Amino acid sequence: MKKTPLKGVTVLDMTRLLPGPYATMLLADLGARVIHVAMPKMLDPLLHWLHRGASKKFISRSLYRGKESAAINFKRPSGRELILKLGRRADVFVEGYRPGALEKIGLGYRDLFRVNPRIIYCSISGYGQQGPRRRWASHDINYLALSGFLSFMNDHGRPPAPLPIQLGDLIGGSYASVVSILAALWERQRSGRGQYVDVSMLHGLMSAMVMPFAEMLQGRSFGRGGMALTGQDPMYRTYATADGRYLAVGAVESSSNHRLLELLGRPQLISGLEDPAQWPRIGLQLEDLFRTKTLRQWRRLLENQEVCMSPVLTLKEALREGRVASGGLVHGSILPRQAWLGSPFRFSRSGVGSEQGRDLEIGAQTLKALGSMGISRTELTALRKQKVII
């Protein structure tokens, strides 16, 4: 079995909802040992929100794969001391509570640093640990709104619609956290010291908005379809087909858009691509043209022709296409509803962590996880009697 990149790294995961669990899931994929700590009998609010059934199982098996679950009442003094003992042996501590919440109960960065100066302590929050908004209650839609991103999603006077993918949570929170943690671990190799990582989901999201900021400097409109890459450029937008389906065109390079227009029998439109004033005229002509054939017919004509054309698939179609399944991203079977998402990482020499999906059972590995972190059997027995752990 191939050795994983983060083999030997231990992560204490005290996160809930989506940003933190997804971040620690990625760390587990990379081979870190992740011990997820939760209050006894307190289900992750995300799983509670999904209530029950296939959706809840899918989220549970995807976000908590490869992790150990320990149930610890860390609000009690003995539970707090137990977390600090675990912190002595951990490399990374990740939390997603409101700023100051863990500090109040003695589990802030300074508390963990006192017992382990090498620890990387990562806090994921909406607006960072400082500033007037730091204690605001917010979710992904709020970060999208405050970043300006949600304003792009208005459509002809209708209210802006949030996306089904939580970009603020995942880009601003999860991926920003993982990159920061990996950088801090690498820096520790040189300095021998840990450090505090402050991740703001709003800031992380805004840092990814390179193209919107660039277009703003050109004075473009920001309504849906008002920017070059949101539908204004006829070579980067979607088109309806004869059967009511859609195809996506992303032919921004001259080599691909010239070839596309030649295959479509419209080479006379090539000269107008350099002039944004002609884009609406070109777009209307292509709209009429793409409505003359079905999506299947256009796929036969344009796929694999170096013109950056793709069908707009439903999620079920995307799974059936084979590209996702053959890449090892989806495990199990969607139809019996026993599936989960796997790791996106692929290495030439290194392996990835366990991708075995299993339902989250809070506290299922408490004794095993704590015992392997140096907590004696006598202490574990006493803690169970006190109902500090289950």
Side-chain angles (χ1 to χ4, degrees), residues 106-125:
L107 291 176
Y109 170 62
R110 290 188 177 89
D111 303 298
L112 270 293
F113 179 79
R114 287 191 193 100
V115 300
N116 182 3
R118 289 175 53 83
I119 200 161
I120 310 299
Y121 190 115
C122 177
S123 294
I124 307 172
S125 64

Side-chain angles (χ1 to χ4, degrees), residues 61-82:
R61 289 172 180 167
S62 297
L63 289 183
Y64 291 94
R65 65 169 184 263
K67 301 179 185 180
E68 301 167 52
S69 175
I72 303 173
N73 187 340
F74 51 83
K75 293 184 179 180
R76 294 177 61 176
S78 52
R80 169 191 171 276
E81 290 302 316
L82 181 56

Side-chain angles (χ1 to χ4, degrees), residues 2-30:
K2 294 180 179 179
K3 186 179 292 187
T4 56
L6 293 185
K7 182 177 175 60
V9 173
T10 298
V11 178
L12 285 185
D13 174 12
M14 293 184 64
T15 66
R16 306 176 301 166
L17 297 168
L18 182 59
Y22 191 89
T24 55
M25 176 201 76
L26 294 175
L27 294 173
D29 287 348
L30 292 170

